[in-house]
Amino acid sequence: AMALTSGKAMQIHLLMASYMIPSLAFQTKFSPLVRGAQMRKVISPFPQAIQRRFLSQTRSSSGPGFAPSSASATPQISSKLALSSGRIKVQQIFKSQTPMVGKEVIVKGWVRTVRNQKAFSFIEVNDGSSPKGIQVIAETQIRSYSVVDSLATGSAVAIKGVVVESPGSGQKYEIKASEVELVGDCSSTDYPLQKKRHTLEFLRTIAHLRPRTNTIASVARVRSALAFATHRFFQDRGFLYLQSPLITASDCEGAGEMFRVTTLPSAVAKLPKTPTGDIDYSRDFFGKPAYLTVSGQLSGETYACAMGDVYTFGPTFRAENSQTTRHLAEFWMIEPEMAFADLGDNMDCAEAFVKSVVSHVLEACPDDLAFFNQFYDKKLLERLRSLVDRPFARVEYVQAVDLLRQEIA
């Protein structure tokens, strides 16, 4: 089984009904395309009480950490270019197999840095498709240059311009802007992400903005590439993708504590009891104790005995209260099950799988891995390439035990 760490997913209806209401109020300032009648249309599916609370906070707050907009100070915000078609991702520009110089493009993203000169300004725009943003040169004579003066780190922009060769080092192309449109303004003094390294502990306090950082964005892109490569590997080999249940009454592995799923009252005094004083789970939703799954293995084994080769790939949960990097409360696990296979087939599959997904990430995410190699693990790329190029060692069980004893002696 291979484990990939998983971030917490939140649904918008939970956000609107919880403590995140102020953050959503901020979104109406940062994403001005949704305002007035449009905003009412967006929130119309929600209960009236939530709609009233949301709209009242929208009028009175710009969200935590952001200054409220001022009619006199806020620059003109437009949506014409932002809603136009023909957008190209920054990564597509850098990786295009055809020459890009001279082509007119539209890029849309968020400002990383702005440097204003006397006759022009440099704007670095990142759209999340690559760790590197693209540099935009906006000259003072363009009609929308007044917008450039109001840009700050975090501003959302849409920019039209022509791709030109970059005279600077480290970047092949840059864009000479003909139009700059401000999609969402941002306070330069209150925006919490500045051009410096932030600790992961700090980023946990601004979960709604941390995907804009290099670290979290690179992790997301690598995870996406790994997930794609995982499905491609097994699908190409005729495996069936099995969606195993997340809620189960079975303790599949019996190796750790499980998270309980219940609709019984949270107040201890109100819990239904049996004549012997135990909790009466027959009154619970499923009529018996139920838990978040620790593994999809049991489902995989039963389906493999009917359909041949299958694999599960989904979230699993362990209620082990351990604060180490080796223990996760939630993670995604890959569990292949093969019928009519022996240990040799199992090892062949595992080795081929690991080499396949690592090879794909090395090809698809070179900039992200280079970032990790530079700032987190200087030998990361060396190890990954070695893993792909060299065969896995296979030893007998007794020999493996001897090697472990020698290691810890």
Side-chain angles (χ1 to χ4, degrees), residues 204-232:
R204 291 188 184 99
T205 67
I206 51 170
H208 60 302
L209 291 175
R210 65 181 180 177
R212 296 190 186 184
T213 64
N214 288 332
T215 296
I216 303 302
S218 288
V219 169
R221 283 186 290 265
V222 169
R223 280 177 55 88
S224 176
L226 284 170
F228 170 81
T230 293
H231 285 294
R232 185 177 66 178

Side-chain angles (χ1 to χ4, degrees), residues 92-124:
Q92 292 175 270
I93 297 176
F94 289 144
K95 292 189 175 183
S96 175
Q97 299 299 315
T98 59
M100 292 295 297
V101 173
K103 290 188 176 181
E104 185 177 69
V105 297
I106 298 175
V107 294
K108 304 173 186 180
W110 298 269
V111 174
R112 286 282 181 90
T113 58
V114 182
R115 291 179 291 134
N116 295 320
Q117 308 293 326
K118 185 174 182 180
F120 54 85
S121 294
F122 293 111
I123 311 166
E124 182 187 354

Side-chain angles (χ1 to χ4, degrees), residues 122-173:
F122 293 111
I123 311 166
E124 182 187 354
V125 178
N126 187 282
D127 62 1
S129 63
S130 168
K132 298 178 181 178
I134 192 165
Q135 180 169 272
V136 176
I137 298 93
E139 298 179 338
T140 54
Q141 61 262 35
I142 66 173
R143 293 178 57 187
S144 54
Y145 190 78
S146 60
V147 172
V148 177
D149 288 331
S150 63
L151 297 182
T153 299
S155 299
V157 294
I159 296 175
K160 179 189 288 188
V162 175
V163 177
V164 297
E165 291 184 357
S166 178
S169 61
Q171 184 165 285
K172 184 177 181 180
Y173 299 122

Side-chain angles (χ1 to χ4, degrees), residues 17-88:
S18 68
Y19 67 92
M20 292 295 288
I21 286 287
S23 292
L24 289 181
F26 146 73
Q27 294 292 340
T28 62
K29 172 182 181 291
F30 199 68
S31 301
L33 303 183
V34 186
R35 281 184 171 171
Q38 290 178 309
M39 173 58 68
R40 294 183 181 278
K41 182 178 180 180
V42 169
I43 66 174
S44 61
F46 299 98
Q48 289 294 323
I50 292 180
Q51 292 186 40
R52 288 193 297 271
R53 180 183 173 196
F54 178 67
L55 291 172
S56 65
Q57 293 197 19
T58 300
R59 289 189 292 268
S60 62
S61 171
S62 297
F66 294 87
S69 297
S70 167
S72 59
T74 301
Q76 182 179 2
I77 297 175
S78 178
S79 62
K80 180 180 178 181
L81 187 60
L83 297 179
S84 64
S85 59
R87 173 194 181 189
I88 187 171

Side-chain angles (χ1 to χ4, degrees), residues 290-343:
Y291 311 91
L292 292 179
T293 184
V294 298
S295 170
Q297 182 179 349
L298 289 179
S299 296
E301 289 173 348
T302 57
Y303 273 79
C305 289
M307 309 192 75
D309 300 338
V310 302
Y311 71 102
T312 69
F313 181 24
T316 54
F317 309 87
R318 306 290 172 89
E320 298 176 26
N321 191 17
S322 178
Q323 307 300 319
T324 74
T325 56
R326 300 289 182 178
H327 293 82
L328 295 170
E330 176 186 346
F331 57 94
W332 280 56
M333 186 149 64
I334 303 157
E335 297 175 286
E337 296 289 345
M338 298 180 290
F340 309 107
D342 60 15
L343 183 59

Side-chain angles (χ1 to χ4, degrees), residues 271-291:
L271 288 172
K273 301 292 182 65
T274 64
T276 59
D278 297 324
I279 297 176
D280 186 3
Y281 285 106
S282 66
R283 306 272 297 276
D284 206 349
F285 186 89
F286 295 102
K288 64 175 70 175
Y291 311 91

